[in-house]
Amino acid sequence: MFSWDDIGVFLALYRERTTGRAANARGVSQPTIVRRIAALENDLGLALFERSPTGLMPTDAAHGLYASAQRIERSVCEFTAEVDGLTGAEVNLIRLTFLDHFEQLLIPVLRDFRSRWPRVQTQLLASDHIYDLARGEADIGVRGRDRPTSDELIVRQLPPSGWTIYASAHSSAEERPRAPADVAGHPIALVGGVPATLPVYLWLEEFASSGPPPARCNNYRAIKSLVASGSVLSALPCTIGDGDSDLVRCFPPLEEWDVPIYLIGRRAILRRPPARDLFDSIAAHFDRHPELLMGVR
């Protein structure tokens, strides 16, 4: 009969779609993933995945089982947390995820936390990858845009992220727009993917149809480099633009371009004092210094 580990392998393959990535997610070897999923399919009498040029594709049976497998996963996480609470087990590792330009903002918090909890290791997951806290991929996260609604999470709203238009600091004041209406006619850069739907980029997109063809970038780092070179103007969060000596604001951040920011914690992990202390410390830090996220206005 199958076990929880088999269901964990199924979930990893369903989410990652290759045996290599699933092996990394589970912390096991690739042959182990292949062997365990074959054994699970044999036990169930169902084909769960089909091979394709792009990886493993879930079958209709896999789609049908996914929601139930997720519920089992969450129950296991809750059960483990309850056992830790009853046995007095200490949290000695807290996984903190945030966008990769937030790490400098958190240094004072992490320094003070380490002085209070020297035995607790903080693993920083700074990446554009969205870790799923509800299913236990991380413990505490700082996220933008959409407020999570899962019962497994505790959510606190932080000050919003401020955005404005930046130019090269090496350009003259006469070359820069002084108000939003002045941006028309300047070469601009836009970002692709999900960030393209942020209010400021939707606003910039309006200029793309009437001005020079925009440069298209796949991340904020590429946009920052183009702006610093003096070839384009573009929008960046104040958390990136204000700290770069090669960039200069064209005008102050506008409230209509603000992006909501949320602090998220796994409810089970926040029952433990070190994790709750870190969560509350991050919230208090940004409450005391909203300009870190919003930019000085």
Side-chain angles (χ1 to χ4, degrees):
M1 190 60 180
F2 58 88
S3 67
W4 153 241
D5 284 340
D6 296 320
I7 295 173
V9 168
F10 163 70
L11 287 169
L13 269 177
Y14 188 98
R15 292 161 179 160
E16 302 296 341
R17 304 300 168 93
T18 72
T19 55
R21 290 200 298 265
N24 288 335
R26 295 292 296 170
V28 298
S29 68
Q30 191 171 359
T32 297
I33 294 291
V34 174
R35 176 175 54 81
R36 296 296 290 270
I37 199 64
L40 179 60
E41 289 180 321
N42 182 68
D43 287 342
L44 298 178
L46 295 169
L48 299 175
F49 297 94
E50 297 175 347
R51 293 193 175 275
S52 77
T54 58
L56 294 175
M57 300 302 296
T59 63
D60 289 343
H63 288 310
L65 292 172
Y66 181 64
S68 295
Q70 278 188 305
R71 289 193 291 271
I72 294 171
E73 178 186 47
R74 290 173 182 172
S75 295
V76 169
C77 289
E78 289 293 326
F79 181 83
T80 302
E82 292 294 345
V83 170
D84 288 345
L86 292 170
T87 59
E90 293 185 359
V91 172
N92 54 20
L93 174 65
I94 302 174
R95 297 163 299 166
L96 174 61
T97 178
F98 47 87
L99 295 176
D100 63 5
H101 60 279
F102 271 59
E103 59 267 24
Q104 292 296 320
L105 306 180
L106 292 169
I107 287 175
V109 177
L110 296 174
R111 184 188 300 120
D112 291 345
F113 177 79
R114 182 168 179 78
S115 69
R116 294 191 300 274
W117 302 94
R119 291 185 163 182
V120 179
Q121 179 184 355
T122 306
Q123 182 181 2
L124 304 183
L125 306 174
S127 171
D128 293 332
H129 172 72
I130 303 299
Y131 291 90
D132 191 333
L133 274 73
R135 74 183 198 214
E137 291 183 347
D139 302 313
I140 297 173
V142 179
R143 294 277 175 75
R145 304 190 67 185
D146 300 323
R147 185 185 184 97
T149 57
S150 171
D151 290 339
E152 286 85 10
L153 304 177
I154 292 175
V155 181
R156 170 122 180 224
Q157 186 159 8
L158 300 177
S161 171
W163 290 68
T164 191
I165 305 300
Y166 288 88
S168 171
H170 308 288
S171 62
S172 66
E174 292 74 21
E175 295 177 284
R176 305 171 202 150
R178 298 183 180 183
D182 299 335
V183 173
H186 288 271
I188 60 173
L190 296 171
V191 72
V194 174
T197 62
L198 293 174
V200 67
Y201 287 120
L202 293 176
W203 177 82
L204 271 179
E205 190 78 51
E206 296 176 8
F207 295 107
S209 58
S210 56
R216 302 279 177 176
C217 302
N218 62 358
N219 57 48
Y220 300 140
R221 291 183 295 277
I223 284 183
K224 185 173 72 168
S225 297
L226 277 181
V227 173
S229 74
S231 57
V232 297
L233 306 176
S234 193
L236 286 168
C238 297
T239 51
I240 293 178
D242 286 357
D244 194 316
S245 60
D246 288 323
L247 305 180
V248 63
R249 291 182 183 184
C250 294
F251 41 83
L254 301 185
E255 186 175 344
E256 57 262 38
W257 293 343
D258 284 352
V259 175
I261 299 292
Y262 300 100
L263 176 64
I264 311 160
R266 287 176 55 217
R267 189 178 298 277
I269 200 72
L270 293 187
R271 296 184 184 130
R272 310 302 298 156
R276 187 74 210 199
D277 181 24
L278 180 58
F279 183 88
D280 291 342
S281 297
I282 293 172
H285 178 63
F286 288 117
D287 285 346
R288 287 194 303 268
H289 304 288
E291 72 281 358
L292 293 175
L293 295 175
M294 299 176 66
V296 177
R297 307 194 176 186

